[in-house]
């Protein structure tokens, strides 16, 4: 069983988190052995997303196999920008990564990975409006999904679907990922770059 935790915070972008959730739960129903939850960095019952959606959380993140960090709000006063400045979530990400968790991000969630220090020496991608900011921390790799082994990043909002389909393939197999994409009627992107970095 692959334990997947999607890290939520006030102001996250809905699609960044909910689309991967659907991919992983669909894969699980098709026999892929994925246990997916909505986690948080601190104890809260409900998180409010960027466009007002409220999600009841499953508790504080606790050593999953895979931690997925959504984006949202980098170019505003809330969301990723607020969490970046507060520093609590970057500390959670760094701690989970140090304990052996594979870490992935969607969109501007890459900036939280950068703040956590897990992008050091790892080329990465993010939403097109945040590429200049990301370059201050690491090498920008223009691709839909960038996989460096223990750290995987995805570009803009809908890239979370391709990211999670790629992770289903990595943790399970290609056929399962293809069947999930067919069920969701999603044409998978082949703009995936694998770079052997192994930063640990």
């Amino acid at each position: 069983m692959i334990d997947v935790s999607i890290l939520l915070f006030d102001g996250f972008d809905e699609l960044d988190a909910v689309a991967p959730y659907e991919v992983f739960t669909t894969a699980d129903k098709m026999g892929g052995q994925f246990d997916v939850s909505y986690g948080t960095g601190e104890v809260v019952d409900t998180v409010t997303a960027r466009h007002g959606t409220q999600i009841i959380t499953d508790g504080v993140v606790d050593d999953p196999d895979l931690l997925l960090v959504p984006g949202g709000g980098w170019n505003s006063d809330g969301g990723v920008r607020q969490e970046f400045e507060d520093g609590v979530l970057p500390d959670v990400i760094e701690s989970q990564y140090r304990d052996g968790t594979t870490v992935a991000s969607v969109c501007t969630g890459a900036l939280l990975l950068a703040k956590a220090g897990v992008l050091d020496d790892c080329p990465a991608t993010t939403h097109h409006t945040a590429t200049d900011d990301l370059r201050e921390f690491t090498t920008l790799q223009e691709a839909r999904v960038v996989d460096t082994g223990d750290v995987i990043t995805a570009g803009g909002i809908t890239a979370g679907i391709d990211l999670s389909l790629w992770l289903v393939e990595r943790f399970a197999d290609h056929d399962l990922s293809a069947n999930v994409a067919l069920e969701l009627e999603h044409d998978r992107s082949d703009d995936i770059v694998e770079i052997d970095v192994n930063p640990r």
Side-chain angles (χ1 to χ4, degrees), residues 150-197:
D150 296 323
V151 179
I152 309 99
T153 55
I157 300 165
T158 60
I161 301 172
D162 292 302
L163 168 71
S164 44
L165 287 169
W166 169 248
L167 291 169
V168 167
E169 180 170 333
R170 258 192 60 175
F171 283 97
D173 61 60
H174 173 79
D175 289 346
L176 176 61
S177 181
N179 288 335
V180 173
L182 180 63
E183 174 69 19
L184 300 179
E185 295 196 4
H186 178 74
D187 292 326
R188 288 188 63 184
S189 172
D190 59 3
D191 187 17
I192 297 171
V193 175
E194 291 182 85
I195 302 171
D196 186 11
V197 173

Side-chain angles (χ1 to χ4, degrees), residues 1-5 23-24 27-28 31-36 64-68 100-104 147 149-152 163-177 188 194 200:
M1 182 69 71
I2 306 299
D3 183 9
V4 181
S5 184
V23 169
F24 288 120
D28 182 65
Q33 302 290 305
F34 290 93
D35 182 18
V36 191
D65 299 302
L66 173 65
L67 179 66
L68 190 146
T101 295
T102 297
V103 178
D147 186 339
D150 296 323
V151 179
I152 309 99
L163 168 71
S164 44
L165 287 169
W166 169 248
L167 291 169
V168 167
E169 180 170 333
R170 258 192 60 175
F171 283 97
D173 61 60
H174 173 79
D175 289 346
L176 176 61
S177 181
R188 288 188 63 184
E194 291 182 85
R200 292 193 219 232

Side-chain angles (χ1 to χ4, degrees), residues 21-66:
Y21 187 93
E22 182 158 354
V23 169
F24 288 120
T25 54
T26 301
D28 182 65
K29 290 177 182 176
M30 292 181 170
Q33 302 290 305
F34 290 93
D35 182 18
V36 191
S37 62
Y38 286 126
T40 55
E42 299 177 304
V43 177
V44 293
D45 293 329
T46 304
V47 175
T48 303
R50 183 179 178 196
H51 301 287
T53 302
Q54 292 189 323
I55 293 181
I56 298 171
T57 67
D58 296 307
V60 175
V61 170
D62 184 21
D63 296 325
D65 299 302
L66 173 65

